[in-house]
Amino acid sequence: MTGQNPAPDEIVIDTGNPHPARMYDWFLGGKDNYPVDEEMGRQLLALDPRVPVMAKVNRAFMHRATRWLAMNGVRQFLDIGTGIPTEPNLHQIAQQVAPESRVVYCDNDPIVLAHAAALLRSTPEGVTEYVQADVRDPDTIVEQAGKVLDFSKPVALSLVALLHFVSDEDGAYELVDRLLAEVPSGSYLMLSHATADFTPKKSEEAGSCTRPAV
Ligand SMILES: C[S@@+](CC[C@H](N)C(=O)[O-])C[C@H]1O[C@@H](n2cnc3c(N)ncnc32)[C@H](O)[C@@H]1O
């Protein structure tokens, strides 16, 4: 892990408020979540019972896209908004196709850091690394990821089910532009995003449930 990550005994898990990584884990049937995450998950289920299916379909998209990229020659992956490890993880898929694949994971939730060991079991030929950082701090991500990835060679930037947590005010578009500016021609952007297009009213209600209070 990069030297900038907090030490394990410095990790503080906030069990008083729901967190996206833990709610997603609950929707996927995982066990790395707390009652407060389940409670919010159930509120969202009441608004839209399709959420667990959407989580699984999203995960399947990440699997397919990673496999396609690896089969088409991509050997470097920067995955921001990684989530709690749920096998198979991105590096396992990429390294199954090409064992030499180099993968940098990044998330801002301390619970993902607490589970990072599960993300760091690489093939002998490849590398996996974890960076604890917020996507709204792309400079740190690029600097830390640059210790493992060669930004002069193609990189797949993975922003899967992440950007709906970043508001337009926080510069979601600019963040993507900023990150893509680091990677050369031949790189790819792997992205999925929740949409309010089909159920605008329910999506607004869901958004107001999950938005942090100010
Ligand atoms: C729905 S999960 C998606 C996990 C994984 N990418 C997938 O699609 O299976 C969203 C992840 O984004 C992370 N996240 C949310 N806001 C973030 C931010 N500002 N910076 C970095 N990660 C963030 C959450 O902690 C969570 O792990």
Side-chain angles (χ1 to χ4, degrees):
M1 266 190 279
T2 73
Q4 284 217 339
N5 290 329
D9 59 356
E10 292 168 356
I11 299 173
V12 178
I13 307 291
D14 167 18
T15 56
N17 294 293
H19 279 222
R22 296 170 351 205
M23 283 165 53
Y24 186 64
D25 177 71
W26 184 75
F27 283 127
L28 287 173
K31 56 181 175 38
D32 297 305
N33 50 74
Y34 295 86
V36 71
D37 306 306
E38 177 172 345
E39 192 183 317
M40 179 61 72
R42 289 194 187 282
Q43 283 184 41
L44 293 180
L45 267 188
L47 282 170
D48 191 337
R50 298 170 306 168
V51 180
V53 174
M54 291 190 260
K56 289 188 179 85
V57 166
N58 176 68
R59 196 78 194 159
F61 159 72
M62 185 276 281
H63 294 167
R64 279 196 313 280
T66 303
R67 190 169 295 111
W68 186 91
L69 289 163
M71 288 175 76
N72 283 276
V74 178
R75 296 291 178 264
Q76 304 195 101
F77 296 80
L78 174 54
D79 178 55
I80 308 178
T82 298
I84 293 168
T86 305
E87 295 206 349
N89 294 294
L90 188 152
H91 75 282
Q92 292 165 313
I93 293 173
Q95 292 179 346
Q96 192 180 46
V97 177
E100 71 275 26
S101 297
R102 303 174 79 81
V103 178
V104 175
Y105 288 113
C106 171
D107 205 287
N108 71 344
D109 192 321
I111 198 154
V112 183
L113 174 61
H115 286 273
L119 295 167
L120 299 177
R121 287 187 215 112
S122 176
T123 53
E125 304 91 332
V127 177
T128 65
E129 183 54 272
Y130 179 79
V131 175
Q132 179 76 10
D134 195 296
V135 68
R136 291 167 295 186
D137 182 9
D139 293 344
T140 297
I141 295 176
V142 168
E143 188 210 322
Q144 295 298 314
K147 295 177 182 169
V148 169
L149 305 180
D150 177 352
F151 282 112
S152 70
K153 296 193 176 137
V155 175
L157 173 63
S158 160
L159 307 175
V160 178
L162 167 71
L163 289 172
H164 39 257
F165 299 111
V166 180
S167 65
D168 287 349
E169 293 72 28
D170 273 336
Y173 281 93
E174 292 76 9
L175 285 170
V176 177
D177 285 346
R178 164 76 182 85
L179 290 163
L180 288 178
E182 291 296 328
V183 296
S185 170
S187 296
Y188 289 85
L189 174 62
M190 182 193 337
L191 189 152
S192 67
H193 194 302
T195 177
D197 289 358
F198 307 112
T199 52
K201 200 164 172 299
K202 283 185 176 177
S203 298
E204 176 50 37
E205 276 180 67
S208 57
C209 283
T210 53
R211 225 167 272 136
V214 277

